[in-house]
Amino acid sequence: MTDFSSRLQLVANHGEVFKKLGRGIERETLRYHDQGKLSTSPHPKGLGSPLTNKWITTDYSESLLEFITPVSQSISTAISQLNDIHHFSQTKIGDDKLWPLSMPCYVESDDSIELAQYGSSNTGKMKTLYRQGLKHRYGSLMQIISGVHFNFSFPEELWDGLFGEQTEEERQESKSDAYFGLIRNYYRFGWLIPYFFGASPALCSSFVAERESLLKFEKLGETLYLPYATSLRLSDLGYTNNAQSSLKIGFNSIDEYLQGLNKAIRTPSEEFAKIGVKVDGEYRQLNSNVLQIENELYAPIRPKRVTQSGEKPSEALERAGVEYIEVRSLDVNPFSPVGINEQQIRFLDLFLTWCLLTPSDSMDNSELECWRDNWNKVIIEGRNPGLELKIGCKGERLQLSDWAHKVFDELEQIASVMDSQVSGEEYTNTCFTLRQSIDNPEQTISGQLLKLTKELGGLGKVGRELGDEYYSQRMSSEYETYSEGLMEEEVTRSIEAQRDIEKNDSQSFDEFLADYFSYLKDR
């Protein structure tokens, strides 16, 4: 296994592994009403409990819905499940509609954004308090940005092809090492994702009304935009957090990653200490450390493992290694009613497989910063013809288009194998279509969206027009995978589950938090 081609051959010779890729989708979307204004009503009761519903929850704010599909080996099934969740939700939210863009609609003020509520249980109150901490630390506007998270895993047959027979302990270590190699390559080349699929070249002026920025925006009514931007959601104005730029969390091994993460969770912050933890009897944040909890780490990709009851994400990774990865750099696709389409998923299949099979040297913090610089360039000016990116930290540069074509030469090899296993041409067609966008940047999603924004006279008009169109589609659609009865059963189950959690609480909230964070003193 010395190079990409030999690794691909090992995998291709070991059964139909690409029929068994695991995929799960988490799509966020804001509820809005008249003229694109943020909905301020509580989470609709017809959707059940956001604490326990396995398909429909909320993210940071009360108006930010999150739709979750189970793991599926079928792309079409995953999209159908997402369609059904959207359809059911639309029938339960009254006059509200679902915002089709990553960047939010008109926001009256920071205080108009209601934090997500999860009931009176200690667990529910902790989830809301965590968001209260985020509000004090970074402001509420970050809590209404929408994205799509893509959970992805390889089947055991692929690991059999790469590593042969192994003990359970050896396999766990090999898989974790391989996933971290994938993550390092993702940092090196993942700028391809905002280039092709970035969908936030513009934003509403209300979003930056009281925020400083060095970006030189052009103005179109209430809309601000950058002519070559791809994903302002991933810029310093959006999802990425400058306050965490000093964190030194490495990706060379699971041990290095966990050590860096645990240090950030345990390190006091002078800045956040000024906020206070409990002031005049009211909590303002969970604690005053650099990270309140692990989920506060803003990253474009995360190593993950399904947790057991009461287990923290890092404890799950430490116990049994990496099980899957979570891609977090996808904007909501405004040209899909569910925020993502099959072509995007096929590209992610190809690209993540390429990241795994391509040799991945270790990476120190200075190199990681070089790759982040490439990401930032693509985020701010990715469609600028002739844009050059760093090849490494020694000053060498290569045009984005040339580098992307080099990657696609190898992606096409994977596409050929995948198509042979699924008896189709979809992966090859995906490569062909996206290759056209390398040399024609305006064919990318951000290019198409900015063109439409200019034609309609503003981002708000784009959001309302697409939102109305998708509303009509959802209200007239039929269930494809689930059924109304099944969705209603989950609503009822989730409400009962929340009641049981609240009924069985036996500690005060102070005691609950002290127990939860006791691990900070144990290590």
Side-chain angles (χ1 to χ4, degrees):
M1 296 194 304
T2 57
D3 57 29
F4 160 78
S5 296
S6 62
R7 293 185 183 196
L8 177 59
Q9 193 60 50
L10 280 175
V11 172
N13 291 338
H14 212 87
E16 296 180 324
V17 295
F18 296 120
K19 281 187 174 182
K20 302 176 182 179
L21 301 174
R23 312 172 188 88
I25 303 169
E26 303 168 17
R27 187 266 165 104
E28 299 162 349
T29 178
L30 282 169
R31 291 186 288 116
Y32 75 98
H33 54 82
D34 298 338
Q35 299 302 309
K37 293 182 179 179
L38 185 70
S39 176
T40 56
S41 61
H43 184 69
K45 293 182 179 179
L47 298 179
S49 165
L51 180 67
T52 51
N53 191 313
K54 64 184 179 182
W55 293 318
I56 304 167
T57 182
T58 52
D59 201 283
Y60 288 116
S61 67
E62 189 76 340
S63 58
L64 184 56
L65 293 172
E66 182 174 358
F67 302 145
I68 304 168
T69 72
V71 177
S72 174
Q73 295 179 350
S74 164
I75 296 175
S76 60
T77 296
I79 294 293
S80 292
Q81 291 168 333
L82 204 52
N83 266 316
D84 287 350
I85 297 170
H86 279 75
H87 170 56
F88 177 79
S89 299
Q90 187 63 74
T91 66
K92 299 296 181 179
I93 62 176
D95 294 331
D96 285 350
K97 298 175 183 177
L98 304 179
W99 192 245
L101 305 172
S102 271
M103 300 308 286
C105 41
Y106 180 77
V107 183
E108 292 184 359
S109 68
D110 207 60
D111 291 335
S112 68
I113 302 168
E114 181 71 23
L115 294 175
Q117 304 293 312
Y118 299 96
S120 61
S121 70
N122 287 328
T123 300
K125 287 191 288 188
M126 180 179 171
K127 287 173 71 72
T128 297
L129 177 56
Y130 164 59
R131 288 154 174 78
Q132 181 73 35
L134 295 177
K135 176 179 180 178
H136 283 298
R137 291 174 175 220
Y138 317 119
S140 293
L141 287 173
M142 279 186 64
Q143 299 174 17
I144 56 171
I145 298 172
S146 302
V148 175
H149 297 171
F150 182 72
N151 299 305
F152 182 85
S153 63
F154 296 100
E156 282 301 316
E157 290 87 340
L158 180 138
W159 307 119
D160 292 339
L162 283 181
F163 304 123
E165 291 187 10
Q166 293 179 300
T167 65
E168 184 176 343
E169 184 177 342
E170 290 171 336
R171 178 57 57 87
Q172 176 181 316
E173 183 177 353
S174 295
K175 287 170 63 174
S176 291
D177 286 345
Y179 273 122
F180 272 95
L182 181 160
I183 290 170
R184 292 193 297 276
N185 278 336
Y186 185 93
Y187 274 98
R188 291 177 174 117
F189 303 101
W191 45 263
L192 284 164
I193 293 176
Y195 176 78
F196 289 120
F197 305 135
S200 49
L203 44 77
C204 178
S205 59
S206 67
F207 187 78
V208 295
E210 299 178 0
R211 305 175 71 187
E212 294 183 3
S213 174
L214 298 176
L215 300 176
K216 307 292 186 182
F217 285 110
E218 297 188 25
K219 192 169 184 179
L220 179 67
E222 295 299 317
T223 297
L224 303 178
Y225 70 93
L226 295 177
Y228 300 118
T230 62
S231 179
L232 293 174
R233 167 182 168 267
L234 296 178
S235 74
D236 291 342
L237 283 173
Y239 184 74
T240 303
N241 190 343
N242 266 341
Q244 298 180 9
S245 60
S246 62
L247 295 180
K248 306 298 182 185
I249 298 177
F251 302 99
N252 292 318
S253 68
I254 191 170
D255 289 337
E256 182 181 76
Y257 174 77
L258 290 175
Q259 287 172 9
L261 183 59
N262 286 324
K263 181 180 179 181
I265 295 169
R266 290 167 171 75
T267 301
S269 164
E270 291 184 12
E271 178 186 357
F272 297 150
K274 295 175 183 177
I275 298 170
V277 176
K278 194 175 185 181
V279 180
D280 297 331
E282 296 290 332
Y283 279 103
R284 293 187 175 183
Q285 54 185 338
L286 291 172
N287 55 55
S288 58
N289 294 339
V290 175
L291 300 180
Q292 298 176 92
I293 56 175
E294 298 165 35
N295 288 348
E296 193 171 333
L297 176 65
Y298 295 96
I301 187 170
R302 284 179 182 169
K304 301 291 288 286
R305 170 165 286 278
V306 175
T307 57
Q308 297 176 350
S309 178
E311 192 175 45
K312 299 171 182 64
S314 62
E315 292 173 337
L317 287 173
E318 188 173 22
R319 168 178 56 82
V322 184
E323 183 179 10
Y324 65 98
I325 52 101
E326 179 189 30
V327 171
R328 300 165 56 81
S329 51
L330 283 167
D331 284 356
V332 172
N333 183 345
F335 302 112
S336 164
V338 296
I340 188 172
N341 62 30
E342 293 194 10
Q343 182 189 77
Q344 290 177 278
I345 295 175
R346 290 194 181 92
F347 173 79
L348 291 170
D349 287 351
L350 291 165
F351 180 66
L352 296 173
T353 300
W354 180 82
C355 285
L356 179 84
L357 298 179
T358 297
S360 182
D361 293 336
S362 60
M363 178 188 298
D364 60 23
N365 284 318
S366 61
E367 185 188 356
L368 182 58
E369 287 306 310
C370 289
W371 300 122
R372 283 175 173 157
D373 184 59
N374 280 350
W375 277 75
N376 289 333
K377 283 188 175 181
V378 174
I379 287 165
I380 299 301
E381 54 175 332
R383 286 180 290 105
N384 191 348
L387 178 66
E388 291 186 338
L389 303 178
K390 294 178 180 177
I391 298 177
C393 295
K394 297 180 180 180
E396 302 97 332
R397 295 180 181 274
L398 187 67
Q399 282 197 10
L400 180 153
S401 58
D402 292 337
W403 208 347
H405 279 301
K406 287 179 181 291
V407 174
F408 266 70
D409 288 342
E410 294 188 337
L411 291 183
E412 287 179 349
Q413 294 181 45
I414 303 174
S416 178
V417 175
M418 288 186 174
D419 279 338
S420 69
Q421 293 192 3
V422 300
S423 300
E425 297 179 349
E426 288 87 353
Y427 286 100
T428 299
N429 291 338
T430 293
C431 285
F432 176 81
T433 301
L434 292 179
R435 258 200 197 266
Q436 313 310 306
S437 300
I438 296 174
D439 298 315
N440 298 280
E442 300 316 304
Q443 293 181 9
T444 62
I445 293 177
S446 61
Q448 295 178 54
L449 179 60
L450 188 55
K451 179 183 178 183
L452 184 60
T453 300
K454 292 178 178 179
E455 289 175 352
L456 295 183
L459 194 65
K461 293 180 180 179
V462 173
R464 294 196 299 275
E465 181 166 302
L466 292 175
D468 288 346
E469 178 184 340
Y470 298 151
Y471 170 83
S472 298
Q473 289 180 17
R474 292 181 190 118
M475 293 303 290
S476 61
S477 65
E478 301 289 337
Y479 288 97
E480 300 172 2
T481 301
Y482 298 135
S483 66
E484 183 176 10
L486 193 63
M487 302 296 289
E488 292 284 8
E489 286 177 12
E490 179 57 20
V491 167
T492 301
R493 187 208 63 79
S494 71
I495 294 172
E496 293 173 351
Q498 178 177 324
R499 287 173 181 163
D500 288 342
I501 293 171
E502 293 171 348
K503 182 174 63 176
N504 292 325
D505 269 350
S506 58
Q507 295 176 296
S508 69
F509 188 53
D510 288 347
E511 292 170 334
F512 173 81
L513 287 184
D515 279 355
Y516 185 91
F517 289 113
S518 62
Y519 75 99
L520 296 178
K521 303 175 183 178
D522 293 340
R523 300 183 184 181

